Each structure stands twice: as structure tokens, then as C-alpha cells.
Amino acid sequence: MRILSLACISFLITFSVAAQNGKIVEQTLYTIADSNKVRLKKLVPELDSLLSQVDFYKLTYLSDGLKVKGFMAMPKRKGTFPCVIYNRGGNLDFGAIGDGQLLRYLGVVASWGYIVVGSQYRGNMGGEGKEEFGGRDVNDVVNLIPVLAAMPGADTSRIGMYGWSRGGMMTYRALTLTNKIKAAVVGSGMANAYTNIRKRPEMDTFVFSQLLPDYAHNRDRGLKERSAVYWADQINKATPLLILQGSADWRVSPDEALEMVQKLYEVKHPLRFILFEGGQHSLVEHRAEVDRQVKDFLDRYVRDRRKWPDMEPHGD
């Protein structure tokens, strides 16, 4: 009998875990409780229309061998649909996808004719593992691609991504790991952790130092890995970006978006940038315009697979 080497055993285990990425462990229909609907209508006035058009599901799927929790929203009608991966903001259970976020983001986008999935990230809301605020938990985003592949009616040749706040940072990181995203939207996205800490010192104390692995000894490495301004050139250039930012955002300073746009412009990354005057972190004051811009961008570059315009100087 041959004895397998430790290296061989390790490879087989790693290969086995990777092969399971995106496997759906559980999928159950999710219903918005009647007791919540009055409150939710203030956040999502079109609630009744959404519920008539969209089905919601709670998911448990595998990512790096961990059971991770998430949600899915899909049109009730039959057909084949493009897809969107939604990346939530916050950390731990703060900012987790609840009924409001489920309707406001996943539900609204699904009503446009997309199958939408979103992760709670590992370690959250009953999921296994420990989140790293943009570390190995980025795999939980990328591993939603095979989740979509398992969904009837999902056209995985047309996948977009939509991230808000911390989810914007997750989006930037995910786009360095996959070329399968046809277009991405980042709303109020963190792009420079150093600026974030300077503006909000509590982020260093209560988020980065608590969630980033070995932060005491590898602080700079951890912060730079989560700061897209340092590696904007590594983001897949075949993925055009729509960046949305409010000028009155105190959670993620507009300075971060402006610096990121400059870095992307320098490497000629396909980009559209909108700075909303007086907009707060959620851009609630500009909701109708935000939805219009997001829908137009996703429809153009994901649904219709339109080619991005020439980025080189040209014209009369």
C-alpha cells in the first residue's frame, strides 16, 4: 500500500473544499411578515408591487468549506435572467441583510428582471467561520458565482455586482479575483482605509483591530489590502464601474471616492462617477436618481452586454 505524503493529502483536501464552493446546502422560501409591512412601506413605498413580482429565498451555501448564510431574490415570472451579486455593508450583524435591505436592494433589482444573490459573509447571522472585513471573506462573494450557476433561469454569462459601503470595498477586491463580472456598481464605497481611520478613529478601534487577522503585527498590510486606491490597476479592466457618492457622507468620506476615481482614471479603467450634492451615506435624498442610474448601467452593460466606449482621447 502506498502512503500518501502530507503535501498530497493537503492538496486533495484543498481540491475537495474548492470543488464544493458555491454548493447550496439549504434554500427556503422567505416571506416578509405582515407585522413588518407597515414599517417597511415607509422605506420601500412600492412594497406591494415588489412582493407581487419577486420571490425571496434564504440560502446556506459553502464557501471555503464553511456554511455561509445569504439571500436570493428572483422574478416570479418564467424566463432566463441576467444576474447580480449584491454586497452588503457593515460588519458582523451590523448592516446584515434584513427585510429592509432585502427589499430595497435585492428586491428592487430583481423587479428589473435580474436574479440577485447576497451574502451575509462568514461568521454572521448563524454562518460558520469568522469574518475578516475584506480578507478571506471576499471568497464568500466570489463563491456566489457557482451559486447562481445552480439556479434555474440564471444566465451566468451576464453577471453584475452591486456593493454599498463596506460592500463597495468587497466589490473592488472581488474584481481582482474574477473576470466574470460584466459591470459593477459601488455606492459610498470604502476605498482608502487610512482615510477612513483618519476621519473616523473608532473604525480602527472597533472594526479593523477586531476583525483583521494579526492586526497588531501586520496593520499596514491589512489596511492596504482593503484600500483599492493602492491596487486600482489590478481591478479587472473588462468590468466597467459606476461609482456613486454623496458629498455629505460622514461614514465614508467623499475624499475616498475622489481619490479612487483619480486612480482609475490614471489607468484608463472604464468608469462613470456621480457625486450627489448634499447626499448622505445611503443617498436616500436621491433614491429615484440612484435607482435610475443603477438600472441604466446594469441594463446597458450586463443585460444587453454593450461595449464600453473608447477610453483613449479621440474626437474633433
Side-chain angles (χ1 to χ4, degrees):
M1 179 183 294
R2 293 182 178 179
I3 300 176
L4 294 176
S5 69
L6 290 177
C8 184
I9 293 172
S10 177
F11 171 79
L12 290 173
I13 293 172
T14 301
F15 179 81
S16 177
V17 169
Q20 295 291 306
N21 282 335
K23 179 182 178 181
I24 299 171
V25 177
E26 186 177 15
Q27 177 181 336
T28 57
L29 188 66
Y30 183 76
T31 303
I32 305 294
D34 289 339
S35 58
N36 287 340
K37 290 181 180 178
V38 173
R39 174 182 60 83
L40 290 169
K41 275 191 176 182
K42 296 178 181 179
L43 176 69
V44 187
E46 66 272 37
L47 172 65
D48 293 333
S49 176
L50 280 181
L51 295 179
S52 70
Q53 298 179 64
V54 177
D55 283 327
F56 299 96
Y57 297 87
K58 291 188 77 170
L59 299 176
T60 302
Y61 68 101
L62 295 182
S63 180
D64 297 343
L66 302 169
K67 293 179 181 179
V68 178
K69 303 295 182 177
F71 276 99
M72 178 177 66
M74 61 192 310
K76 289 180 181 285
R77 66 184 188 274
K78 301 295 183 181
T80 300
F81 303 98
C83 307
V84 170
I85 293 171
Y86 172 73
N87 298 329
R88 52 157 281 208
N91 63 91
L92 303 177
D93 290 348
F94 173 72
I97 302 172
D99 287 354
Q101 197 170 168
L102 181 64
L103 291 164
R104 172 68 188 93
Y105 294 100
L106 284 79
V108 167
V109 176
S111 74
W112 300 339
Y114 293 84
I115 294 177
V116 189
V117 290
S119 180
Q120 300 283 28
Y121 311 135
R122 62 186 60 185
N124 298 326
M125 306 305 289
E128 295 178 345
K130 184 179 186 298
E131 83 150 276
E132 297 181 356
F133 201 76
R136 286 173 293 187
D137 48 7
V138 175
N139 292 340
D140 304 341
V141 171
V142 177
N143 288 331
L144 286 172
I145 296 174
V147 167
L148 287 168
M151 297 296 174
D155 181 355
T156 53
S157 70
R158 296 181 294 167
I159 303 177
M161 193 169 282
Y162 187 6
W164 207 275
S165 190
R166 173 265 184 88
M169 176 264 289
M170 300 290 279
T171 299
Y172 290 138
R173 291 215 65 194
L175 294 180
T176 69
L177 301 175
T178 179
N179 61 1
K180 294 183 178 181
I181 307 302
K182 301 305 179 185
V185 180
V186 171
S188 305
M190 192 185 85
N192 189 329
Y194 291 97
T195 299
N196 199 266
I197 288 171
R198 188 173 69 252
K199 300 280 186 175
R200 298 180 61 196
E202 68 273 17
M203 287 293 292
D204 194 36
T205 304
F206 299 111
V207 178
F208 296 124
S209 66
Q210 300 298 314
L211 298 179
L212 274 59
D214 198 26
Y215 189 65
H217 300 100
N218 289 295
R219 181 177 186 270
D220 281 340
R221 177 181 175 181
L223 294 179
K224 286 182 178 178
E225 285 179 347
R226 292 152 180 81
S227 300
V229 296
Y230 289 98
W231 35 264
D233 59 330
Q234 298 177 36
I235 295 173
N236 181 46
K237 278 197 173 182
T239 305
L241 287 165
L242 169 62
I243 297 179
L244 309 171
Q245 178 68 45
S247 65
D249 184 353
W250 66 267
R251 290 188 179 273
V252 176
S253 170
D255 293 345
E256 295 189 47
L258 293 168
E259 184 181 9
M260 185 62 183
V261 167
Q262 180 61 36
K263 296 292 185 180
L264 291 167
Y265 177 75
E266 289 172 0
V267 297
K268 293 185 171 58
H269 192 104
L271 167 74
R272 181 182 300 173
F273 172 55
I274 305 174
L275 181 65
F276 289 89
E277 63 282 7
Q280 61 176 278
H281 189 61
S282 66
L283 290 176
V284 65
E285 309 95 331
H286 301 275
R287 180 187 168 184
E289 179 64 11
V290 166
D291 285 351
R292 188 182 73 80
Q293 291 288 344
V294 172
K295 183 178 186 302
D296 175 75
F297 199 79
L298 293 174
D299 287 352
R300 183 182 299 265
Y301 297 112
V302 178
R303 186 192 68 184
D304 300 339
R305 289 183 280 196
R306 294 274 293 274
K307 185 179 179 181
W308 188 262
D310 184 4
M311 294 296 291
E312 294 297 332
H314 62 281
D316 299 331

